Amino acid sequence: SRIGTRPSLHYGPSNSLSRASRKSGRSSSLSSLVQGPPEPPFKSKLRYETPLLRELPPQSSARRPDRPDARSLSPRMQPQGAQSQRRATSLRGLREAETRPINVQRFADAQRDTFDRALQEICQGRKSSCWMWFTIPTPPHIVNGVERGSSVNRKFALRSDEEARAFLKFETDDGVNLRENYVAIMTAVLEQLQAGRSPTSLLGHFDAPKLASSV
């Protein structure tokens, strides 16, 4: 060998391709640079040649303790039995809610200090505060037989035709009339839509579907 010359280094097929790819930026066209069978993968001495690791017993095929329980999985990943049980529990809760005595006082309590502002926002062309659930109420949010709504949605959902009729007939002694408020807010919404505003620009991305669900 010549003194003073730089020794040649062998990087292997995969590293040669990676280095050439970084220079040209076109890895697909550089596959012809790799010729011959690929070299076997590099084996780390720490993993394969340390006596301590060789003496470890083989891993057991039993269930690992860190394996996620079926209850922690998302609904799509849960076993079919768990999904059926979850759906049955949700439907049972809906039936129990429908048989409870109707009480729409919660809507009047929520509207008492918020309705004037809600109506003003709609008349100005843009909803900017939180009042949708109890001013323009909706049915429960059900997906594949399971109630998916938030806690606020569950609290203010109208769960039957009888409860919806009670909502439209309810008036408190201090002057909160749910029917009049609903007609007033929906009339203002209609005027904005007829003027050219879209439901999304008027109510926002998350509340526009609730408008369709309510009417």
Side-chain angles (χ1 to χ4, degrees):
S1 61
R2 297 180 180 178
I3 300 176
T5 60
R6 186 176 181 180
S8 61
L9 299 177
H10 178 66
Y11 292 94
S14 60
N15 284 337
S16 298
L17 179 59
S18 177
R19 287 162 58 85
S21 300
R22 288 195 297 268
K23 290 182 179 180
S24 66
R26 295 175 296 181
S27 58
S28 60
S29 63
L30 294 175
S31 58
S32 59
L33 296 176
V34 182
Q35 298 179 357
E39 293 185 356
F42 177 74
K43 295 184 178 181
S44 169
K45 293 183 178 181
L46 178 62
R47 181 173 179 83
Y48 294 96
E49 299 181 9
T50 304
L52 178 61
L53 294 180
R54 288 202 304 266
E55 296 174 2
L56 291 177
Q59 293 184 355
S60 174
S61 60
R63 182 181 182 273
R64 295 175 56 184
D66 58 345
R67 184 177 180 180
D69 187 75
R71 291 171 296 179
S72 65
L73 298 175
S74 64
R76 292 184 178 180
M77 297 176 61
Q78 289 183 0
Q80 187 66 29
Q83 295 184 33
S84 301
Q85 182 178 5
R86 183 183 179 92
R87 185 179 298 108
T89 302
S90 180
L91 291 176
R92 183 167 58 252
L94 289 174
R95 286 193 291 267
E96 292 175 356
E98 292 175 356
T99 57
R100 287 197 295 263
I102 295 175
N103 182 10
V104 293
Q105 179 68 42
R106 64 190 187 277
F107 294 96
D109 294 339
Q111 289 187 25
R112 183 171 288 107
D113 299 324
T114 60
F115 180 76
D116 290 341
R117 178 177 177 179
L119 184 60
Q120 182 181 11
E121 291 176 3
I122 293 299
C123 291
Q124 292 176 350
R126 180 66 179 178
K127 176 182 177 291
S128 58
S129 60
C130 185
W131 45 260
M132 190 75 178
W133 294 117
F134 46 82
T135 306
I136 306 179
T138 67
H141 181 51
I142 307 297
V143 179
N144 295 330
V146 179
E147 186 170 1
R148 299 292 189 193
S150 65
S151 59
V152 182
N153 171 260
R154 298 183 186 209
K155 177 180 179 180
F156 291 107
L158 294 174
R159 299 180 176 274
S160 66
D161 293 343
E162 290 74 16
E163 190 173 21
R165 295 187 186 100
F167 175 89
L168 294 175
K169 295 178 180 178
F170 188 80
E171 181 179 4
T172 63
D173 295 336
D174 58 353
V176 179
N177 189 311
L178 297 182
R179 180 186 182 88
E180 290 183 358
N181 289 353
Y182 185 77
V183 171
I185 197 79
M186 295 304 289
T187 300
V189 168
L190 178 61
E191 291 174 353
Q192 291 293 328
L193 297 180
Q194 290 175 341
R197 279 195 172 274
S198 67
T200 302
S201 64
L202 179 63
L203 298 171
H205 178 74
F206 293 103
D207 285 339
K210 299 170 191 173
L211 174 66
S213 180
S214 179
V215 298

